[in-house]
Protein backbone atom coordinates (compact mmCIF):
# COMPACT_ATOMS: atom_id res chain seq x y z
CA UNK A 1 0.00 0.00 0.00
CA UNK A 2 1.48 3.28 -1.21
CA UNK A 3 0.24 6.63 0.00
CA UNK A 4 1.11 10.28 -0.45
CA UNK A 5 -0.56 12.72 1.91
CA UNK A 6 -0.48 16.50 1.47
CA UNK A 7 -1.07 18.81 4.40
CA UNK A 8 -0.51 22.41 5.47
CA UNK A 9 -3.09 24.18 3.36
CA UNK A 10 -5.48 26.75 4.70
CA UNK A 11 -6.82 30.27 4.42
CA UNK A 12 -4.32 33.14 4.36
CA UNK A 13 -4.37 36.80 3.43
CA UNK A 14 -2.46 38.10 0.40
CA UNK A 15 1.21 38.38 1.27
CA UNK A 16 1.00 35.57 3.80
CA UNK A 17 2.87 32.28 3.89
CA UNK A 18 2.11 28.58 4.06
CA UNK A 19 4.28 25.49 4.23
CA UNK A 20 2.88 22.43 2.49
CA UNK A 21 4.05 18.92 3.31
CA UNK A 22 3.99 15.78 1.18
CA UNK A 23 4.49 12.72 3.35
CA UNK A 24 5.04 9.25 1.90
CA UNK A 25 4.18 5.87 3.37
CA UNK A 26 4.74 2.42 1.94
CA UNK A 27 7.81 3.53 -0.04
CA UNK A 28 10.75 5.90 0.23
CA UNK A 29 10.52 9.24 -1.53
CA UNK A 30 14.26 9.43 -2.17
CA UNK A 31 13.82 6.97 -5.04
CA UNK A 32 11.75 9.49 -6.99
CA UNK A 33 11.63 13.03 -8.18
CA UNK A 34 8.71 14.83 -6.56
CA UNK A 35 6.52 17.42 -8.21
CA UNK A 36 4.01 19.86 -6.79
CA UNK A 37 0.95 20.64 -8.90
CA UNK A 38 -2.12 22.75 -8.41
CA UNK A 39 -5.59 23.01 -9.88
CA UNK A 40 -7.82 26.04 -9.54
CA UNK A 41 -11.58 25.97 -10.18
CA UNK A 42 -12.33 25.88 -13.90
CA UNK A 43 -8.67 25.42 -14.86
CA UNK A 44 -6.44 22.52 -15.78
CA UNK A 45 -3.91 21.14 -13.36
CA UNK A 46 -0.52 22.82 -13.73
CA UNK A 47 2.98 22.12 -12.54
CA UNK A 48 4.32 24.35 -9.78
CA UNK A 49 7.68 22.94 -8.74
CA UNK A 50 9.79 19.79 -8.82
CA UNK A 51 12.82 18.42 -7.00
CA UNK A 52 15.03 15.65 -8.37
CA UNK A 53 16.14 12.63 -6.37
CA UNK A 54 19.61 12.36 -7.93
CA UNK A 55 21.22 15.71 -7.16
CA UNK A 56 18.41 17.67 -5.54
CA UNK A 57 18.04 20.07 -8.46
CA UNK A 58 14.92 22.19 -8.15
CA UNK A 59 12.60 23.59 -10.79
CA UNK A 60 9.92 26.25 -10.58
CA UNK A 61 7.16 27.53 -12.80
CA UNK A 62 7.61 31.11 -13.96
CA UNK A 63 4.50 32.28 -12.13
CA UNK A 64 6.09 31.39 -8.80
CA UNK A 65 8.38 34.41 -9.25
CA UNK A 66 10.88 33.29 -6.59
CA UNK A 67 8.16 33.12 -3.97
CA UNK A 68 8.09 29.33 -3.47
CA UNK A 69 10.82 26.93 -2.32
CA UNK A 70 10.72 23.16 -2.65
CA UNK A 71 12.84 20.99 -0.36
CA UNK A 72 13.28 17.37 0.64
CA UNK A 73 13.86 15.72 4.01
CA UNK A 74 14.65 12.09 3.27
CA UNK A 75 14.91 11.20 6.95
CA UNK A 76 11.27 12.18 7.38
CA UNK A 77 10.26 10.80 3.97
CA UNK A 78 8.70 14.17 3.25
CA UNK A 79 8.88 16.90 0.62
CA UNK A 80 7.92 20.48 1.44
CA UNK A 81 6.73 23.50 -0.49
CA UNK A 82 7.34 26.79 1.30
CA UNK A 83 5.04 29.42 -0.18
CA UNK A 84 5.71 33.08 0.60
CA UNK A 85 4.06 36.29 -0.55
CA UNK A 86 0.96 34.42 -1.57
CA UNK A 87 -1.39 35.97 -4.10
CA UNK A 88 -5.12 35.40 -4.71
CA UNK A 89 -4.28 33.65 -7.98
CA UNK A 90 -2.41 31.01 -5.95
CA UNK A 91 -5.76 29.76 -4.69
CA UNK A 92 -6.04 26.10 -5.72
CA UNK A 93 -5.89 22.53 -4.55
CA UNK A 94 -2.24 21.55 -4.31
CA UNK A 95 -1.07 18.00 -5.05
CA UNK A 96 2.24 16.19 -4.88
CA UNK A 97 3.23 13.31 -7.14
CA UNK A 98 6.17 11.03 -7.85
CA UNK A 99 7.93 10.88 -11.20
CA UNK A 100 11.18 9.44 -12.53
CA UNK A 101 12.55 12.83 -13.57
CA UNK A 102 11.43 16.42 -13.38
CA UNK A 103 10.11 17.59 -16.73
CA UNK A 104 8.58 14.24 -17.68
CA UNK A 105 4.80 14.17 -17.70
CA UNK A 106 4.55 10.66 -16.33
CA UNK A 107 3.66 10.19 -12.69
CA UNK A 108 3.26 7.18 -10.44
CA UNK A 109 1.60 8.22 -7.18
CA UNK A 110 -0.67 11.12 -6.25
CA UNK A 111 -1.89 12.49 -2.97
CA UNK A 112 -5.42 13.63 -2.19
CA UNK A 113 -4.56 17.32 -2.31
CA UNK A 114 -4.71 20.18 0.17
CA UNK A 115 -6.71 23.38 -0.30
CA UNK A 116 -4.92 26.72 -0.36
CA UNK A 117 -7.10 29.83 -0.31
CA UNK A 118 -5.61 33.32 -0.50
CA UNK A 119 -8.15 36.02 0.24
CA UNK A 120 -8.58 39.15 2.30
Amino acid sequence: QVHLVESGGGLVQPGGSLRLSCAASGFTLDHYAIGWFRQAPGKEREGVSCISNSDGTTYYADFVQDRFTISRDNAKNTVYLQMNNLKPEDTAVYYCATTINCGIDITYHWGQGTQVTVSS
Side-chain angles (χ1 to χ4, degrees), residues 35-54:
W36 281 98
F37 304 80
R38 70 186 188 186
Q39 187 168 25
K43 296 186 177 181
E44 295 185 355
R45 187 158 56 196
E46 60 185 354
V48 175
S49 184
C50 188
I51 184 168
S52 70
N53 68 310
S54 57

Side-chain angles (χ1 to χ4, degrees), residues 27-118:
F27 69 103
T28 54
L29 279 181
D30 60 5
H31 294 161
Y32 301 90
I34 306 298
W36 281 98
F37 304 80
R38 70 186 188 186
Q39 187 168 25
K43 296 186 177 181
E44 295 185 355
R45 187 158 56 196
E46 60 185 354
V48 175
S49 184
C50 188
I51 184 168
S52 70
N53 68 310
S54 57
D55 58 4
T57 302
T58 58
Y59 304 86
Y60 300 94
D62 290 340
F63 56 75
V64 172
Q65 297 178 336
D66 296 321
R67 298 178 295 122
F68 294 2
T69 302
I70 189 171
S71 62
R72 178 194 296 268
D73 188 337
N74 290 334
K76 296 182 178 180
N77 214 24
T78 301
V79 171
Y80 304 97
L81 184 68
Q82 178 67 45
M83 306 186 297
N84 298 326
N85 193 23
L86 285 162
K87 303 176 180 179
E89 53 263 42
D90 294 319
T91 296
V93 178
Y94 284 71
Y95 303 87
C96 62
T98 60
T99 186
I100 56 173
N101 287 108
C102 296
I104 299 176
D105 290 333
I106 301 176
T107 57
Y108 293 89
H109 315 102
W110 288 86
Q112 86 292 340
T114 184
Q115 176 70 49
V116 172
T117 302
V118 185

